[in-house]
Amino acid sequence: MSTYHDHMAAREQRRRSPRGAIDVLPSGARRVRVHAGTDPVTKRKHRLVEVVPAGPDVEARAEAVRARMVQEVAERRNPRTAATVEQLLDRYLEQFDGAASTRTLYRGYVRNHILPLLGSVKVAQLDPETLDSYYAELRRCRDHCDGSRRTDHRTKARHECDARCGAHRCRPLAASTVRHIHFILSGAFRKAVRWRWIVTSPIGQAEPPPASKPNPQPPTAAQAAAIVSAAWEDPDWGALVWTAMTTGARRGELCAVRWPAVVLDEGRETLWLRRAIAKGDDGRPVEGDLKTHQQRRIALDQETAAVLREHRRRYERRAESLGLTPNPDGFVFGRSPDGADFVLPDSVTQRYERLAKRLGVGTTFHKLRHYSATELIVAGVDLRTVAGRLGHGSGGVTTLRTYTAWVSEADQRAAVGIGAGMPTRPAEGEPFVRAPRHPYELVAAAVAGRIESGELAAREPIPTAEALAAEHAVSLSTARRAVGVLRATGYIVEGAGRPLVAARGPRAPQQPEPEPSPAISPAPLASAYWTLTARGPDGVRYPPRVVAGSLADLDGFRAHLVGIARIEDPGNTDTGESWIGRYELEVAPVDPASPLAPMTLRW
């Protein structure tokens, strides 16, 4: 009959090894222990422990377990710490090098939604099944209630309950918020793998909610006009709204613009975005780097340049009337008369929302960026240029992935909404002329007016592109584009030197007109609307798009093919453009009366 001392002796019996130990337990089981270094969190010795049940060949099985654990330590495949998710997130956020506002946002998600449910779980024990259950809980109730009846109070302080206090109703977290939490955990566990706390990250095998498709809702042209018109009640506020609408700059970027960053010289009108107003570590707004940490210059149109010139004159007159010296380095949209203080981004948002509510328009200040981007795409601007103006990196990849719906919306507007700016449809046989909207169209319309009035006679050479550029204060490329429009619409024909006024303009009485030689007439190359259909390497035809473009600028069609392919087949077109040779683009004129036949372009 065994005694207490026999049990203790058996328990203390152990087989020591420099590479681990096997303890014999009273039940006959074996406890295998292997030293795995020092815990990087607690600084204590870290040991791997596993119990082998008693039974036949227990010694051999214990030896096999010890050998396996020793091999895992040698190959660094064992968890090196017993740290919890809370300890990992603390270390991760301490080293987070993102913006202060992003760090503050992440700390809020960690405090409110991660630690209450996962904080005490050991890093090495978190698995995909646990994560999937966790995401399902977040989508059930954002307050993480236990399902029992309770009251949601309007405040946590002592108060008298009123109509604002009521029975708790479960509300799920938005899918975008759950994905944010997934990204936080992914970044933290990626660090844990690098620090060799764990061997592999379980986050990649979990399934967060799918990303919702972008649904931009920019204000319509009529709503935008109503907003900017109402904003002019305060000229300074009107200038800010106008600039936001035409440049697509973020609110924090506009609030941080100083006068040296605004170039208003004739022909060089630009806005240089170098800084932004954001929340610092203490929650107070400070002047810091841009969101993408990349400065950018935005060309200004003539109207926006005029708005900023008037704003500058008001700023100088106001400062002088108060006996102040205008600060040449002051904020363009400052709070003080001398521009020493920047306007707060939250104040801009609140004022804009009050304005929109008063007008009955459901929109936000951020949607002015949507409006600017949509208008640029509708005008035929390539996506890389749009991405550059918006401040998106990666050569337009972010614009494609995040704002794909804008492209779709632009396609629809270009296809079915192009008639919005048209005059009354003329009678049969009368030329159809659309009201000019873009600078090159305005120049072409001015020259056409001179031709129709007889100021420029038939067979008389028109002014050179250089003269038109100087006369209308536009760039040389815009003037040349205007000449192309005049040629395409039949106002001018090729001459021996400069283009000549046609024997009759489109509105002149019918009379014989020599047709230009197809070999030298660039009319088919003029800017027009085209239907683009991309075809993939597997023969799949993607939905057609309607865009503005010119056959004289094939690079523009190449950019459209890149954009369509990345939208429709992102898995095979994620990086670079070396894949473009596997795709082709069918190009057909929208106008059924066009003499051009459909063509296929390859690169």
Side-chain angles (χ1 to χ4, degrees):
M1 185 174 187
S2 61
T3 65
Y4 170 79
H5 295 288
D6 295 332
H7 283 295
M8 293 302 296
R11 185 171 182 177
E12 291 299 326
Q13 181 183 356
R14 62 183 62 177
R15 296 175 56 189
R16 298 183 179 273
S17 168
R19 307 190 66 182
I22 300 178
D23 302 333
V24 180
L25 302 181
S27 62
R30 300 297 188 268
R31 180 175 60 204
V32 183
R33 297 182 295 110
V34 173
H35 177 66
T38 303
D39 192 307
V41 177
T42 64
K43 307 304 180 184
R44 298 176 181 176
K45 289 184 179 181
H46 181 53
R47 291 184 176 86
L48 303 181
V49 180
E50 184 172 333
V51 176
V52 179
D57 301 325
V58 65
E59 290 290 340
R61 288 187 284 121
E63 282 291 348
V65 169
R66 185 190 66 81
R68 171 176 56 79
M69 295 169 64
V70 168
Q71 186 67 19
E72 288 179 355
V73 172
E75 296 178 359
R76 297 184 176 180
R77 291 187 291 111
N78 64 290
R80 295 178 55 220
T81 179
T84 62
V85 172
E86 180 176 5
Q87 292 171 313
L88 172 61
L89 291 173
D90 285 343
R91 181 75 64 87
Y92 171 67
L93 292 177
E94 285 175 2
Q95 302 180 15
F96 183 75
D97 60 353
S101 57
T102 303
R103 182 165 53 249
T104 301
L105 177 69
Y106 282 7
R107 289 191 185 279
Y109 286 152
V110 169
R111 180 177 60 254
N112 296 327
H113 302 297
I114 299 180
L115 297 187
L117 299 176
L118 297 180
S120 60
V121 177
K122 290 185 178 181
V123 172
Q125 293 178 348
L126 189 64
D127 54 31
E129 180 182 1
T130 303
L131 285 169
D132 287 342
S133 299
Y134 168 65
Y135 295 148
E137 173 63 20
L138 295 181
R139 295 195 297 271
R140 183 190 67 83
C141 181
R142 64 178 58 194
D143 294 330
H144 320 305
C145 69
D146 57 4
S148 60
R149 287 188 174 184
R150 72 180 201 186
T151 301
D152 285 340
H153 295 280
R154 56 185 174 87
T155 178
K156 294 182 179 180
R158 295 177 62 87
H159 66 284
E160 292 291 336
C161 290
D162 55 21
R164 290 173 289 179
C165 302
H168 171 70
R169 296 178 60 185
C170 293
R171 294 180 302 151
L173 276 180
S176 59
T177 303
V178 179
R179 289 180 63 82
H180 267 297
I181 293 172
H182 176 78
F183 298 147
I184 295 171
L185 291 172
S186 177
F189 274 81
R190 192 162 51 246
K191 287 282 189 180
V193 173
R194 285 189 56 212
W195 297 334
R196 299 190 184 278
W197 288 16
I198 52 176
V199 180
T200 59
S201 170
I203 307 301
Q205 302 175 41
E207 294 184 354
S212 57
K213 293 184 178 181
N215 183 28
Q217 296 179 346
T220 64
Q223 290 173 337
I227 289 169
V228 77
S229 297
W232 282 120
E233 295 175 1
D234 178 352
D236 292 349
W237 172 239
L240 191 153
V241 173
W242 179 288
T243 306
M245 192 174 292
T246 57
T247 63
R250 299 179 178 89
R251 61 171 192 170
E253 295 169 345
L254 288 174
C255 293
V257 172
R258 295 177 180 267
W259 283 114
V262 182
V263 179
L264 298 176
D265 300 336
E266 290 289 342
R268 300 177 55 194
E269 296 88 346
T270 55
L271 179 64
W272 190 2
L273 298 176
R274 295 179 288 186
R275 306 283 283 173
I277 305 300
K279 291 184 178 180
D281 290 327
D282 59 356
R284 297 181 179 180
V286 295
E287 190 177 3
D289 290 336
L290 299 180
K291 182 175 182 179
T292 57
H293 306 287
Q294 292 183 348
Q295 303 178 10
R296 67 185 190 276
R297 294 177 186 267
I298 298 178
L300 300 176
D301 61 277
Q302 295 297 320
E303 288 297 324
T304 302
V307 166
L308 291 176
R309 289 190 186 100
E310 294 175 0
H311 185 62
R312 177 65 181 260
R313 288 193 291 269
R314 281 195 306 272
Y315 161 70
E316 293 174 346
R317 288 196 301 266
R318 185 183 302 117
E320 292 172 356
S321 66
L322 297 173
L324 302 173
T325 301
N327 183 1
D329 194 42
F331 291 98
V332 175
F333 304 107
R335 288 182 292 172
S336 56
D338 60 351
D341 300 323
F342 54 79
V343 66
L344 299 177
D346 287 346
S347 298
V348 172
T349 297
Q350 294 164 8
R351 184 171 184 179
Y352 184 85
E353 289 177 350
R354 289 195 299 268
L355 172 63
K357 183 178 180 180
R358 176 161 55 89
L359 296 175
V361 179
T363 186
T364 63
F365 190 84
H366 185 76
K367 286 184 172 56
L368 293 182
R369 280 171 60 80
H370 301 201
Y371 176 83
S372 178
T374 303
E375 292 301 312
L376 289 172
I377 294 173
V378 170
V381 180
D382 64 277
L383 284 169
R384 286 197 176 185
T385 302
V386 176
R389 290 180 68 91
L390 293 177
H392 294 154
S394 306
V397 174
T398 301
T399 309
L400 282 171
R401 289 180 176 174
T402 309
Y403 305 102
T404 299
W406 295 6
V407 182
S408 175
E409 178 180 336
D411 288 341
Q412 296 170 12
R413 291 179 59 183
V416 303
I418 190 174
M422 297 290 193
T424 304
R425 186 164 174 261
E428 184 177 357
E430 183 180 350
F432 181 61
V433 182
R434 176 174 62 81
R437 290 179 291 186
H438 304 296
Y440 70 91
E441 294 175 326
L442 295 172
V443 175
V447 177
R450 296 172 62 183
I451 294 174
E452 293 180 355
S453 66
E455 182 180 346
L456 293 175
R459 298 301 175 185
E460 179 182 347
I462 67 169
T464 63
E466 291 78 2
L468 290 175
E471 178 183 354
H472 295 278
V474 298
S475 66
L476 183 59
S477 61
T478 299
R480 288 173 176 166
R481 192 172 182 184
V483 173
V485 172
L486 292 169
R487 186 183 291 112
T489 52
Y491 278 100
I492 62 176
V493 295
E494 291 298 321
R498 302 207 308 263
L500 305 178
V501 176
R504 61 173 179 83
R507 298 180 184 272
Q510 295 287 340
Q511 53 180 293
E513 174 188 0
E515 294 185 359
S517 170
I520 62 175
S521 174
L525 304 180
S527 178
Y529 284 93
W530 307 84
T531 299
L532 306 184
T533 305
R535 189 160 53 219
D538 52 0
V540 174
R541 292 166 60 89
Y542 299 116
R545 270 83 167 170
V546 176
V547 304
S550 168
L551 293 181
D553 180 20
L554 294 181
D555 286 341
F557 289 99
R558 187 181 192 277
H560 284 301
L561 175 58
V562 171
I564 295 172
R566 282 177 171 162
I567 293 170
E568 301 291 350
D569 192 13
N572 297 320
T573 58
D574 189 27
T575 58
E577 295 184 6
S578 60
W579 45 263
I580 196 170
R582 304 196 303 270
Y583 297 79
E584 59 186 21
L585 191 66
E586 297 178 4
V587 181
V590 172
D591 185 1
S594 173
L596 291 177
M599 64 198 78
T600 301
L601 302 180
R602 300 182 182 88
W603 286 271

